[in-house]
Each structure stands twice: as C-alpha cells, then as structure tokens.
C-alpha cells in the first residue's frame, strides 16, 4: 500500500508564506513525477506545479515566480513553498505522485487527502 500525507496548510494573511509537505510511504520502488494540485470551492481541480525525477519543474502561470516546488528523494517527500500568497490561492491543495511499487511494475498514480490553505485579505 502507498500513502501520500500532506501537511503545512493553514490560515495566512495576504502577502504571507506557507510551506506544504507531502511524504509518500509504503511499498515504493521509485517515485517518478510528483506534484501539487488545488481545488477552490466551486471550481475544478487544477495543476499548481510538478517536478520530475530529474528535478525539471513546471508551474501554472498563476503561481510562477511566487511558488517553488522541490523534492527530497531519500525522504520520498515533495514540498511547495508558497510566497506572496493571494486570497485567490485559497483552496484545498492535493499532493500527487507517479509511483512504481517494484522494478517490474508499471507506475500508478496516487493522491493525498488534501490540506486546506486559506488566505485572508
């Protein structure tokens, strides 16, 4: 079994910062791409940022220059540093990862349970 557990959400004023963490645990051979998505009330889930195993990154235009995604491979953890937060960043943030559970398996896609971020104006 594989689990993704997020932490670090909370309430922050506009202009502030938060750092989200997501640790993968369980039977893991290799973690390929990891990423963060978010879902605001009444809206569809959207991509925030992704990072591949070789550390190449991709960001949505709405967070470029404000958010930074990084990963610690030995810890099976991905981070999202969020600076200059805006009220429109308010959402539940979900961790996502493509994981191989052994050297012979295909990769499977996993989601965390989500962590809420609220930015007050």
């Amino acid at each position: 079994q594989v689990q993704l557990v997020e932490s670090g959400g909370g309430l922050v004023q506009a202009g502030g910062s938060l750092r989200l963490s997501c640790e993968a645990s369980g039977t893991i051979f290799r973690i390929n791409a990891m990423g963060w998505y978010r879902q605001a009330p009444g809206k569809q889930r959207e991509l925030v940022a992704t990072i591949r195993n070789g550390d190449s990154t991709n960001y949505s235009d709405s967070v470029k220059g404000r958010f930074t995604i990084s990963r610690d491979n030995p810890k099976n953890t991905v981070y999202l540093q969020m600076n200059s937060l805006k009220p429109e960043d308010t959402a539940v943030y979900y961790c996502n990862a493509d994981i191989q559970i052994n050297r012979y398996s295909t990769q499977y896609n996993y989601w965390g349970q989500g962590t809420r971020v609220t930015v007050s104006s």
Side-chain angles (χ1 to χ4, degrees):
Q1 297 290 341
V2 172
Q3 280 191 315
L4 301 181
V5 179
E6 300 105 332
S7 61
L11 173 65
V12 64
Q13 287 190 329
S17 298
L18 281 175
R19 188 192 194 209
L20 305 183
S21 301
C22 170
E23 181 180 3
S25 62
T27 304
I28 297 171
F29 171 70
R30 179 187 293 128
I31 301 177
N32 297 315
M34 303 185 82
W36 291 94
Y37 291 73
R38 67 186 181 187
Q39 188 165 17
K43 295 189 176 181
Q44 289 191 327
R45 192 172 296 189
E46 63 175 4
L47 169 73
V48 176
T50 59
I51 183 167
R52 301 199 63 82
N53 211 350
D55 289 340
S56 65
T57 58
N58 180 54
Y59 296 91
S60 70
D61 288 343
S62 62
V63 306
K64 272 181 189 175
R66 301 187 298 122
F67 292 9
T68 303
I69 190 170
S70 60
R71 61 193 287 173
D72 185 333
N73 289 332
K75 294 183 179 180
N76 290 337
T77 299
V78 63
Y79 304 97
L80 186 68
Q81 177 66 43
M82 305 187 294
N83 299 328
S84 302
L85 282 160
K86 304 175 181 179
E88 51 263 44
D89 295 317
T90 295
V92 177
Y93 283 70
Y94 296 92
C95 176
N96 181 268
D98 292 327
I99 298 174
Q100 280 178 266
I101 61 173
N102 62 63
R103 67 173 63 247
Y104 305 110
S105 75
T106 186
Q107 65 182 22
Y108 295 95
N109 188 256
Y110 295 89
W111 290 93
Q113 81 288 351
T115 185
R116 186 173 300 275
V117 172
T118 303
V119 184
S120 63
S121 57

